[in-house]
Amino acid sequence: MTDSPVLAHHFAVVCAGRGNVSETPCGPIVLQAGLLPWLTERRPDALLLDLMPAQRPRSVAVLAQWRALCPGVPVMVVLADGSLSDRLKLLQAGADGCHNDAVDARVLAARVEALVRRHQGFSGPSLECPPFSLEPQARRVSIEGQLVPVTGYEFQVLEILVRHRGRVLSRTDILSRVGPEALVNEARSRSLYVIYWRIRRRFSAFPRALAMLQHRRGEGFVLDPGRE
């Protein structure tokens, strides 16, 4: 959430280059009622709050509200010209990090990504969920140590399932992480089923991986480590 269209644009471009999606409502609406359903319905992987000086007195209240609506979701705060006291208050109120707005948007995106990775239980740049091993930067998938070729779209879907292993994701949950909300439509929803079955065919030689990858009718898709 930011009042700066420039920051929103730069951050979104950097995220897109890293294979991530940034949805950034712009404007002074951090406490408006219209934001509340967005926070709960979108189920974001991380929250980024750019606090302008005039909003700073409300910062602790904003963080408390976000924490209540999205428990456990990492929150990075961008703080322009904040004092040490300001930063300490925000960290004590639940922020997972405070970022100087003068730093390049690429650094900001990398810091948010690192917060998400740790929150999801991954300690390194690769995503290890045996028998799966994913390398996001190289877009490579290995199963039981064997490299399995996948398309870019297949990798994105599999990466989302691995990052949220054990959690049933709806079609909207997945598609909104592949592209902006405006592109989530019925045609793309149908294509997701095609991608799912293509992935299963690629994994046909790995029964353990196939058992974990599931489609639950009426609910969504899940990578279930308990079904090894």
Side-chain angles (χ1 to χ4, degrees):
M1 188 62 54
T2 179
D3 280 339
S4 170
V6 173
L7 174 61
H9 172 73
H10 287 173
F11 188 74
V13 169
V14 171
C15 285
R18 300 173 72 92
N20 302 317
V21 177
S22 169
E23 294 189 56
T24 313
C26 286
I29 60 172
V30 290
L31 286 178
Q32 287 186 9
L35 178 61
L36 306 186
W38 187 89
L39 286 171
T40 53
E41 292 168 8
R42 303 307 295 148
R43 302 211 294 178
D45 292 324
L47 295 167
L48 181 63
L49 178 62
D50 176 27
L51 288 168
M52 303 304 288
Q55 298 170 330
R56 200 161 297 152
R58 300 186 297 173
S59 59
V60 172
V62 171
L63 277 173
Q65 184 183 53
W66 283 21
R67 281 295 185 207
L69 291 168
C70 303
V73 175
V75 180
M76 174 70 79
V77 176
V78 177
L79 197 60
D81 303 321
S83 66
L84 175 60
S85 175
D86 291 329
R87 297 178 188 278
L88 287 173
K89 286 179 182 177
L90 287 165
L91 290 168
Q92 291 165 355
D96 295 284
C98 285
H99 180 89
N100 188 322
D101 71 337
V103 178
D104 193 288
R106 291 169 293 184
V107 176
L108 175 57
R111 288 180 177 174
V112 173
E113 188 174 299
L115 278 178
V116 172
R117 191 169 60 242
R118 288 195 295 271
H119 173 68
Q120 292 171 340
F122 300 106
S123 57
S126 62
L127 308 179
E128 303 295 333
C129 179
F132 297 94
S133 177
L134 275 63
E135 301 173 60
Q137 295 304 311
R139 296 295 179 95
R140 287 201 297 248
V141 178
S142 298
I143 301 178
E144 299 174 1
Q146 298 184 46
L147 192 64
V148 179
V150 296
T151 67
Y153 194 5
E154 289 167 354
F155 183 90
Q156 283 182 291
V157 172
L158 184 61
E159 179 185 3
I160 292 164
L161 292 172
V162 168
R163 286 182 177 275
H164 298 276
R165 59 208 179 281
R167 172 178 157 189
V168 179
L169 300 175
S170 69
R171 291 179 297 174
T172 300
D173 286 333
I174 295 174
L175 292 174
S176 65
R177 287 168 170 79
V178 171
E181 182 181 9
L183 296 180
V184 176
N185 53 44
E186 188 58 32
R188 297 196 77 206
S189 294
R190 288 195 298 270
S191 73
L192 181 57
Y193 288 107
V194 175
I195 294 299
Y196 170 77
W197 289 110
R198 283 181 184 170
I199 293 173
R200 287 192 64 87
R201 284 198 296 272
R202 292 187 186 278
F203 298 166
S204 59
F206 305 96
R208 185 183 174 197
L210 279 178
M212 292 170 62
L213 187 62
Q214 301 174 40
H215 171 232
R216 297 182 181 174
R217 188 176 296 277
E219 297 182 74
F221 304 85
V222 61
L223 189 80
D224 187 355
R227 294 293 295 272
E228 296 182 34

